Every structure is written in structure tokens, then in C-alpha cells.
Amino acid sequence: MSSVLDREMYSEAEAARLLRVRQPTLHYWLEGGQARGKSYKPILRDKSRGSRTVTWAEFVEAGFLREYRQKHKVPMAELRKFIELLRQEFGVPYPLADRRPFVVSGRRLAYDAQTAAGLGVDFWMVTVADDQLMLTTPADSFSQRVDWVDDTAVGYRPDANLESPVRVKPDVRFGKPSINGVSTEVISEQHDAGEDRDAISEMYALTRADVDWALAYEFSVRAANHAA
């Protein structure tokens, strides 16, 4: 699975579009940068690579930061330290593309790492409720977006709707959003060309519901791009 995680998948611009974050924000997470005369190291990379190509693991881990980006500014120093500690505790280079920090048996290590890093409570992965370690809402939302196999992230749901079957996978359609191996973009193009939904479902051996989900996703992407 490590080869899958290391696979270069997206341009920075395409990864940002799929994650629905600004490209400068994603670049900052990956490469660090400078602000007010001070240099900041990357969050997701151990050091700057000078690359605008995003690996599968980096894409997934950026999805984790995305959940927190919606309401808060991401604190570079503390999050970087937190991820470094997770790497050490779980012995993997991409701890946020690994399921173990999110499951019950791994939450104690994650809790200890976030407190040792001095991470603010708004960015905690794990919290305590009724004497139990629970995932926070953003961490749980991220975990549910990911398809896991043997603790490794092998798919990601770009649609915010939990019921959506749209996935991006490193070994399917070169990581483009798809349903049952059919690109949602292709489905949308057929619809734009005048094909009705039943005809599209028959054309690609999909259910009508699959076609509806694909179009709903593509329409939401267009709306987001228009708003931007």
C-alpha cells in the first residue's frame, strides 16, 4: 500500500479543486512559505520539495486539514508538530492517511500527540466525553470520507453528502471522481449533450440513482467554481 500512498496523482490546482480549498492554501500546507518576514515549514511534508505535484497520501492528508479549514485558520506550528508526533507514534510517514489514529485502539496515542503538540482544542482529533475518547466532529467527518483497506486510505469521497457513491481512487480513472469506474465528468458531458438520464444509465451500465448522484456532484462543482 505504501506505493499507492507515494503515487503522484494530481497537479496542485486539480487537488485544490477536488478538495475545494484555495490553491495558495494547499500550497502553503505542502510547501510552507513566508509571512511577515518569517519562514514557515510545510505541514504535510517533512520539508519543502519545490514540487506542485500532489501524491495520493498528501491529497488524503490535505482532506483532513480541509475539515478544519472551513471554520478556522490552520495553526502551522502546532499542526506540524502534531503530525510529526503521529508519524513517530504510529511509525508511518503518512499518519493521517492511516486509519489507526481514528479507531478506538489508536485514539489514546492521537490524544497524547495533540496535547504534547500544544494543539488548540478547535483542532483536536480526539476529545473526551463520558470518560471515553471520541473523535471530534471534523475528524469523524474526514474519517467517513475515506475508504480504508488494511488501515490504508484507498479512496476519498469528494462529495459532502455521506450517501454519495462518488469516489476518487488512485487506481480508478487516474484519480478523477467516478462512480463504478465511470467518470462523473463524462456523465455530465453526456447530459450536457442532450442525453436523458435513463439513456446515460443504460449507456454506462449504471443505475438511474448513480447518474443522479454523478450529476448532482458535477453541478455542485460548477456552482462552487462559479462562486469562487
Side-chain angles (χ1 to χ4, degrees):
M1 289 295 184
S2 61
S3 61
V4 173
L5 294 174
D6 290 325
R7 188 178 302 170
E8 294 185 342
M9 291 296 304
Y10 304 107
S11 68
E12 211 176 70
E14 178 64 7
R17 186 183 72 84
L18 291 173
L19 292 166
R20 301 192 188 184
V21 299
R22 296 176 61 250
Q23 185 176 344
T25 297
L26 178 59
H27 182 76
Y28 196 49
W29 296 347
L30 294 168
E31 287 288 288
Q34 292 189 338
R36 296 182 293 277
K38 185 176 181 180
S39 295
Y40 293 89
K41 294 180 180 179
I43 296 179
L44 298 179
R45 293 173 177 166
D46 57 356
K47 61 182 179 180
S48 173
R49 292 198 286 111
S51 171
R52 289 186 178 270
T53 302
V54 181
T55 67
W56 175 245
E58 290 168 348
F59 175 82
V60 174
E61 292 198 322
F64 176 84
L65 296 188
R66 176 201 176 280
E67 296 298 326
Y68 292 86
R69 180 66 186 180
Q70 303 309 299
K71 295 183 179 179
H72 308 285
K73 292 183 178 180
V74 176
M76 292 285 284
E78 293 84 355
L79 270 171
R80 186 189 311 110
K81 181 63 175 178
F82 171 56
I83 294 173
E84 288 174 354
L85 290 171
L86 286 181
R87 289 189 188 116
Q88 297 170 16
E89 293 292 349
F90 290 94
V92 291
Y94 312 110
L96 299 176
D98 189 295
R99 191 178 191 178
R100 287 175 296 171
F102 299 91
V103 299
V104 174
S105 59
R107 290 176 190 170
R108 169 53 63 180
L109 291 178
Y111 181 86
D112 292 343
Q114 70 192 15
T115 53
L119 198 62
V121 294
D122 286 338
F123 295 91
W124 278 11
M125 172 189 289
V126 177
T127 190
V128 179
D130 296 327
D131 295 325
Q132 293 186 338
L133 294 173
M134 308 289 293
L135 292 180
T136 60
T137 298
D140 184 59
S141 175
F142 164 76
S143 181
Q144 292 189 57
R145 279 180 178 263
V146 179
D147 296 329
W148 306 93
V149 172
D150 296 332
D151 293 327
T152 298
V154 297
Y156 181 83
R157 176 172 47 79
D159 195 324
N161 193 315
L162 288 175
E163 302 299 320
S164 176
V166 177
R167 293 291 187 276
V168 291
K169 297 183 177 182
D171 55 353
V172 177
R173 297 296 175 187
F174 304 101
K176 291 184 177 182
S178 63
I179 293 180
N180 291 336
V182 182
S183 166
T184 58
E185 185 178 27
V186 168
I187 295 171
S188 179
E189 288 172 352
Q190 292 291 345
H191 185 264
D192 290 344
E195 293 288 349
D196 66 42
R197 300 186 183 209
D198 290 331
I200 296 171
S201 65
E202 183 176 351
M203 187 183 306
Y204 294 108
L206 298 171
T207 67
R208 170 61 186 268
D210 288 336
V211 174
D212 290 342
W213 277 114
L215 293 175
Y217 170 72
E218 287 293 327
F219 293 157
S220 71
V221 170
R222 293 181 190 180
N225 290 338
H226 181 72

